[in-house]
Amino acid sequence: NAGVTQTPKFRILKIGQSMTLQCTQDMNHNYMYWYRQDPGMGLKLIYYSVGAGITDKGEVPNGYNVSRSTTEDFPLRLELAAPSQTSVYFCASSGRTEAFFGQGTRLTVV
Amino acid sequence: KQEVTQIPAALSVPEGENLVLNCSFTDSAIYNLQWFRQDPGKGLTSLLLIQSSQREQTSGRLNASLDKSSGRSTLYIAASQPGDSATYLCAVQYGNKLVFGAGTILRVKS
């Protein structure tokens, strides 16, 4: 069982570059989430989706964009990367009960 | 604002002790509450899920309770072991959003 798969695991970006963090789940969950986790902090919600074609902003959406064209995929797009976006990014999915998380993407912007 | 707070921020105990981790939330209109474990550099592993209509859940040496009226949940770990050392995160489902506390870093000394 794959669960929630995130790619890449690590990435170094230069200031101003853009990239897409991929997230795929195989549990047919409607709910999907993107979080960032900074050192010593909890997880802050960036964007979430309640189904294909429906997305909404979380607590810290600035500098990010998402799309949800299928139930399985929920990519997170960073435009014009900034040092403040250095963080670990987690994707999660839920069937409205237990949430399952990917292993994370460690992103450094230099 | 829907906030989740975890106390203490860090805890160090000798092996074999029973311990309690605390989670409080500001809005009692929750859908469910979930406890996670996170090992250093890893993703999140779900430990226990309590639905809003439930008072507690148990899994092995772990017991989680929920008191919606007071906005509190506790995670009880019996007979702690060095392998329990990790960060424990509490997450509350509010509508479509899953809101996290900052976590409690637990160290169990052998």
Side-chain angles (χ1 to χ4, degrees):
Chain A
N1 292 335
V4 180
T5 302
Q6 289 184 238
T7 56
K9 288 187 170 54
F10 303 94
R11 182 74 186 269
I12 298 175
L13 274 183
K14 293 185 177 178
I15 294 171
Q17 288 185 321
S18 60
M19 75 165 293
T20 299
L21 282 67
Q22 301 291 345
C23 177
T24 298
Q25 54 96 5
D26 62 0
M27 296 171 281
N28 201 33
H29 285 162
N30 285 326
Y31 291 79
M32 294 189 75
Y33 308 88
W34 273 107
Y35 292 90
R36 60 177 287 171
Q37 185 177 36
D38 298 317
M41 306 291 286
L43 278 72
K44 294 192 184 300
L45 183 63
I46 305 172
Y47 270 96
Y48 65 98
S49 170
V50 301
I54 305 170
T55 63
D56 208 346
K57 296 178 180 178
E59 186 182 0
V60 290
N62 291 344
Y64 307 95
N65 278 300
V66 294
S67 60
R68 184 95 182 270
S69 57
T70 66
T71 298
E72 295 78 19
D73 301 309
F74 191 40
L76 178 71
R77 177 85 178 162
L78 278 72
E79 306 282 2
L80 298 174
S84 60
Q85 293 178 304
T86 293
S87 190
V88 180
Y89 292 83
F90 288 101
C91 177
S93 75
S94 163
R96 201 63 194 278
T97 54
E98 189 175 3
F100 296 86
F101 278 75
Q103 288 302 299
T105 296
R106 188 174 296 272
L107 176 68
T108 302
V109 181
V110 297
Chain B
K1 186 179 178 185
Q2 295 160 336
E3 294 182 340
V4 179
T5 304
Q6 291 188 245
I7 295 173
L11 183 62
S12 182
V13 300
E15 182 178 6
E17 270 203 11
N18 303 324
L19 57 99
V20 174
L21 308 181
N22 296 291
C23 172
S24 61
F25 43 94
T26 54
D27 185 346
S28 62
I30 72 171
Y31 189 78
N32 61 47
L33 184 146
Q34 199 166 352
W35 283 92
F36 292 88
R37 169 185 173 138
Q38 185 178 29
D39 293 293
K42 303 293 185 183
L44 279 70
T45 301
S46 178
L47 297 173
L48 288 165
L49 171 74
I50 309 178
Q51 299 285 2
S52 63
S53 59
Q54 297 175 321
R55 294 299 297 263
E56 67 176 344
Q57 283 285 344
T58 298
S59 176
R61 294 183 294 108
L62 304 180
N63 175 275
S65 68
L66 175 64
D67 184 344
K68 279 201 320 179
S69 61
S70 65
R72 284 192 270 186
S73 175
T74 61
L75 179 66
Y76 175 82
I77 303 176
S80 59
Q81 303 170 358
D84 294 329
S85 298
T87 297
Y88 291 80
L89 293 155
C90 167
V92 177
Q93 183 85 42
Y94 286 113
N96 297 327
K97 297 182 183 179
L98 189 60
V99 180
F100 278 82
T104 294
I105 301 171
L106 173 64
R107 179 180 171 219
V108 181
K109 298 173 288 185
S110 57

